Structures are given as C-alpha cells and as structure tokens.
Amino acid sequence: MAGRPLRLDDAAWIGPAARAAMSPLSESAFANLYLYRDVHRYRVVEGALPHVLGETYDGEAVAVPLFDPVAAPVDEVRALLGPSRRLYPVEASWAGHLVDLYTADWNDADSDYVYDAARMRGLTGLKVRRSQADRFEAAANPRVQPIDTPADERAALAVLDQWLADVAKPWAATDYAACREAIEMRAALGLFGLLVFAGREPGGFVLASEIAPDMAAVHFAKGLRSLDGVFPYMFRRFARDHPRCDWLNFEQDLGHSGFRQAKRSYRPARMQRKYRLRPRA
C-alpha cells in the first residue's frame, strides 16, 4: 500500500505545508488530518510533490495536496493520481487558475461554513440565537476557562460522555473518538478553546485551531442538551475571547440535514467550496 501512516510528529512539516497548500479550508489544520486519519484512511507520501492519500466521506479516492497545485507540473500530478484519484481539496481561487489544465467539480456537503467573527461576537442579526445565549447566561451564571489542567480535561470528557448519551447513538456513528483524542492531545495538536461551567457542573466546550492569521477552524463544539442556549453562548464567547480572528470556519455539514440546519441558522458569511480536480486528457 502506497505511503505510510500519518504520525503525530508529522505536525512539524505537514502543518505548515497543509496551510500553505489549502488554507483557508478546514483540512489545512493538521489536527483535522490527524484526528480523522482512520476515517479517511490517510497515508503520507513524501517526495517532490508531498501529499496524503485517502478517501472522502462519499468514498472517492483522493490525494490531499501538501504542495502548491498551481505551480506543480500537471504531468507529475497526473502520475501521482493514477487512473482514478482526484486532487482534493483545492480552494476556489486556485481551482480557477487551473481550469485549462484540470476538470473540476465539488460536492456541496464538503463546503465549509465561514462566519464573520465580528457578527458572532454580538450574534448580530440572530435574534433567536442571541435570546437563547442571553437566557443561558442569566440562568446559569456561567464560568468560562481554557482547558488547561487534568481537572479541566476530565470536565471536558464528562461533557463529551454526556453529549454521547444525549444523542443516543453508538459512539462509532459519531465523532466521539476523534473528539476524545482531541481533548487528550490538545496541546500536541495546537488546539485551543474554552470550557463552560453552569454553576459547578461542566456544560460545554469548544476546541479550535488556527488555519490562517485571521481565521480559526472550530473542530468540536459539545454541550449538554439540558442547557438551552449553551451553544450560541459558547460561540459568542469564543469569538469575543479571540479578537484576532476575523473569521470562524465551522467546517462542513457532511450532507446531514441536522448539521445543515444548525449551521445555516448562524447565517454564514460564505460557503467555502472544496474542488476535486483531475488533469484533462
């Protein structure tokens, strides 16, 4: 099998390479690649055109570029893709430079939801979400802190376990395993965020990583179903606590109607398409 497994120590070179090749897409975060390495069957291939072999959620074989696709010789890209793989994901402006050399298409379920952080800080134009957040703040008198200590980690894991019970699905049908690993390996993966307590009990958390100087990708947001308003409260607080971020990338909806409805309710500023490329014959 081509390539080798993705390792944690690859962060030192894959992290910068992925950001240079794919930012501002959510896959440009090393944490995203690492935490879903088994789901997507990722394999690292080093060389002149380094890339990560894998599969999309809909089962298509792809090569994730760790190189500039615009500068790469098309014949060399064709050779690494073989007869059936596609280059994915490719950001829209780069795909636009390659229309003469590649065929390109996209799947709407792959597109990232990108929000204006300034609007999220006040939940501007989101009357229902703002009201939910305000009610939660008034009722719960929440305490917010980073996830730093072993006790914080245990609190976040308790939220995750209760979240799994709330959704009433087998853990393997959710992102539970990836999220648990993210909590436990947050420092090594460069993750940051917040932990919310409602009274003395942990009620929710957010974990994110920087994918551009002005953008954070929110990889995980978990909260207890019993705490109405905890999610808009957390998103508002996260945006306020990170004033350097002009944009928040909430990743894709995977074609799930529930994810789509929830993400659209926060009114994204744009949908960031991810193109799949094949060299023209």
Side-chain angles (χ1 to χ4, degrees), residues 164-237:
L164 183 65
D166 287 346
V167 299
K169 293 181 180 179
W171 69 266
T174 72
D175 61 356
Y176 177 89
C179 189
R180 187 178 186 92
E181 189 173 32
I183 294 169
E184 295 170 342
M185 303 180 66
R186 61 197 179 279
L189 292 171
L191 298 173
F192 57 90
L194 54 82
L195 175 64
V196 175
F197 286 82
R200 300 182 62 182
E201 297 302 317
F205 65 85
V206 172
L207 281 174
S209 61
E210 183 181 289
I211 55 174
D214 61 349
M215 182 181 289
V218 175
H219 301 301
F220 301 100
K222 306 297 185 189
L224 305 191
R225 187 167 289 178
S226 60
L227 298 176
D228 182 46
V230 67
F231 284 100
Y233 173 82
M234 289 195 301
F235 297 149
R236 181 171 69 182
R237 183 61 185 261

Side-chain angles (χ1 to χ4, degrees), residues 128-169:
V128 172
R129 293 302 191 187
R130 187 169 63 251
S131 177
Q132 290 173 333
D134 289 344
R135 287 200 306 271
F136 171 78
E137 187 168 18
N141 190 24
R143 174 167 55 91
V144 179
Q145 63 186 64
I147 308 174
D148 284 339
T149 68
D152 299 335
E153 180 178 306
R154 290 193 295 273
L157 290 172
V159 171
L160 179 62
D161 287 341
Q162 183 58 53
W163 168 85
L164 183 65
D166 287 346
V167 299
K169 293 181 180 179

Side-chain angles (χ1 to χ4, degrees), residues 9-69:
D9 62 7
D10 285 322
W13 72 274
I14 287 183
R19 284 182 57 170
M22 294 182 286
S23 185
L25 304 181
S26 57
E27 285 83 357
S28 66
F30 177 78
N32 206 326
L33 296 171
Y34 184 80
L35 293 169
Y36 294 96
R37 61 196 183 281
D38 294 331
V39 172
H40 294 291
R41 304 186 184 188
Y42 284 145
R43 306 280 296 182
V44 178
V45 179
E46 301 178 65
L49 295 179
H51 56 282
V52 178
L53 299 177
E55 295 179 3
T56 60
Y57 280 108
D58 58 355
E60 184 165 41
V62 296
V64 179
L66 301 176
F67 57 85
D68 180 349

